[in-house]
Amino acid sequence: MSQVAKVRKARKKLEYHLARLRGDLLSSEASGALEILMSVSDRFPAAPPGPPPLLSEGQVLQLLEQGFLFLPLLGSLQLKIRDLSKLIGQFFDRSEDRKKKLYPATRGTENGYYPVAGEKEYVTFRYRVGALPELENQVAEVWKAIATLLHRILCDIARGSEIPLSSWDQLLQDSLTLPEGAESLETSTTLLRLFRYYPDGGFADKHNDIGLLTLCVGDGAGLQVLDNSTEPPQWKDVEGPTILVGEMLRVLSHGMIRAGPHRVVANEKGRTSTVFALRPSLKGMIDLTQFGFEGEVDAKQLWGAIKGGKVNINATKDTRERMQTNLDAKKGKEKAGTAENENEPKQA
């Protein structure tokens, strides 16, 4: 049975529950309709296990087949992100030395403040630092709201792909709220990253995110997704808040779910962007049987393998070029080794 057929079959089983939860608003994407849905969903005990369904069948198919989805947000979440944008704007207006002292960069570009000359500056939150309490309290609110949203979408994907809803429990432990201390860096990979792209200078080359799902919310043009519904595929400007499928979800789905290629092109006015990347917990082993594989795999090893094949598009230009050169050389050696093995005479 094709992936699309599986999704349609599973979604039909939920039609009654969806109808009760949404009524005539099943396929509506209006933020007001979704606000009503969330406020009344706890009144219906017949709802399916896990978080109430959020996406329509068409939206789930869009994510499975394209790796991206334009999704209007609840008004309450929009307000939280707007308030965070104001606070982060005040942070970016500080001197560079002050920003580096408040949130020093650690683990490369994966935590703290990081400027890229002539392109952009950004700050990544992985845990509560305590430097600017008002800002971090708002980060925590936005983190929790977006993490809840993306968890619901993962459960919609699971329902449509015959994956147990519980399969996300181990992967998301300690990820749904902002961690309290730096010790979480050892096992928690989820992050909230806030960008300021400079006029005519902010860009990022084509890439896939490495996690499960990402939400991108920008205040101007610049982010583009690759639309694979055309031949050849075409770059498409995003239409508001955008969900992107990452490499981890693609790998766990046997490649049945497409990761969402995207890029950032220059905007003459510059822009800001809020990016929340829901990534896996690195605690323990991942039970692969829940995803149709056999056995289990160490979460850190799988994560390392996925990260190891990528160029960090948020690093400086020199670092990106060096990483790309090293990656190309590694791929060349692997290709040469494969060809050599194929040419070896086989023993009788």
Side-chain angles (χ1 to χ4, degrees):
M1 182 182 295
S2 70
Q3 187 69 9
V4 172
K6 288 181 178 179
V7 171
R8 288 174 176 163
K9 179 180 178 181
R11 297 301 288 189
K12 285 181 179 179
K13 294 179 181 178
L14 298 174
E15 191 169 343
Y16 171 74
H17 302 299
L18 286 168
R20 291 196 66 188
L21 284 167
R22 298 183 176 181
D24 295 333
L25 302 175
L26 176 59
S27 59
S28 172
E29 295 180 6
S31 61
L34 291 177
E35 192 85 64
I36 293 172
L37 168 62
M38 292 191 71
S39 67
V40 303
S41 60
D42 59 345
R43 302 178 190 174
F44 300 99
L54 176 70
L55 302 182
S56 68
E57 177 180 338
Q59 290 172 318
V60 173
L61 289 173
Q62 168 73 21
L63 267 180
L64 295 175
E65 297 174 351
Q66 291 278 14
F68 70 87
L69 174 68
F70 303 140
L71 184 69
L73 300 179
L74 293 171
S76 58
L77 179 51
Q78 292 179 33
L79 290 175
K80 285 182 171 66
I81 294 175
R82 186 194 65 184
D83 291 344
L84 177 58
S85 296
K86 290 179 180 178
L87 292 171
I88 203 63
Q90 296 171 12
F91 169 78
F92 283 138
D93 287 340
R94 297 170 185 262
S95 69
E96 186 166 304
D97 285 344
R98 182 59 175 157
K99 288 180 282 193
K100 288 181 177 180
K101 288 179 180 179
L102 286 168
Y103 295 104
T106 61
R107 303 199 172 218
T109 65
E110 287 293 283
N111 186 59
Y113 173 74
Y114 197 92
V116 181
E119 295 183 19
K120 59 197 172 189
E121 60 181 329
Y122 59 93
V123 59
T124 303
F125 290 94
R126 298 273 299 278
Y127 63 93
R128 192 182 289 273
V129 177
L132 294 174
E134 183 182 9
L135 171 60
E136 292 177 38
N137 287 340
Q138 194 62 31
V139 165
E141 283 198 31
V142 170
W143 182 301
K144 183 177 181 180
I146 298 179
T148 299
L149 171 71
L150 297 186
H151 183 204
R152 289 184 67 179
I153 292 175
L154 283 175
C155 288
D156 280 352
I157 291 173
R159 293 184 182 102
S161 304
E162 300 180 357
I163 297 172
L165 298 187
S166 60
S167 61
W168 308 121
D169 293 347
Q170 187 272 333
L171 287 168
L172 297 183
Q173 56 182 318
D174 304 328
S175 299
L176 299 181
T177 57
L178 177 66
E180 291 295 325
E183 64 277 3
S184 64
L185 291 174
E186 297 302 320
T187 55
S188 177
T189 61
T190 294
L191 59 82
L192 177 61
R193 181 170 284 158
L194 301 150
F195 288 91
R196 173 185 279 179
Y197 290 95
Y198 303 140
D200 295 319
F203 68 91
D205 295 330
K206 174 186 174 183
H207 65 285
N208 296 335
D209 288 348
I210 57 178
L212 294 162
L213 290 175
T214 300
L215 172 66
C216 300
V217 182
D219 67 351
L223 178 62
Q224 296 181 330
V225 292
L226 192 61
D227 184 356
N228 286 282
S229 66
T230 62
E231 185 56 45
Q234 300 290 325
W235 287 106
K236 182 175 184 178
D237 291 330
V238 303
E239 301 171 3
T242 303
I243 307 293
L244 296 166
V245 172
E247 285 292 317
M248 189 72 173
L249 186 53
R250 181 191 66 81
V251 169
L252 291 175
S253 71
H254 300 249
M256 298 291 286
I257 301 174
R258 185 192 295 270
H262 55 286
R263 67 182 184 182
V264 176
V265 297
N267 180 325
E268 64 179 11
K269 297 180 180 180
R271 70 186 190 97
T272 60
S273 179
T274 299
V275 175
F276 182 84
L278 186 62
R279 295 174 169 183
S281 167
L282 303 186
K283 289 183 178 180
M285 309 294 287
I286 299 175
D287 181 4
L288 296 178
T289 62
Q290 299 194 74
F291 299 95
F293 294 95
E294 294 182 359
E296 57 184 13
V297 64
D298 183 89
K300 286 186 177 180
Q301 290 183 353
L302 180 57
W303 182 242
I306 291 174
K307 285 188 65 177
K310 300 294 178 182
V311 171
N312 185 346
I313 51 88
N314 287 313
T316 61
K317 183 177 180 181
D318 290 345
T319 300
R320 296 195 303 263
E321 291 176 348
R322 183 171 64 253
M323 292 179 71
Q324 187 63 61
T325 298
N326 292 339
L327 185 59
D328 291 343
K330 180 180 178 181
K331 289 181 178 178
K333 289 181 180 180
E334 291 175 350
K335 185 176 182 180
T338 300
E340 183 177 335
N341 291 336
E342 290 177 348
N343 292 329
E344 288 182 355
K346 296 181 180 180
Q347 297 181 355

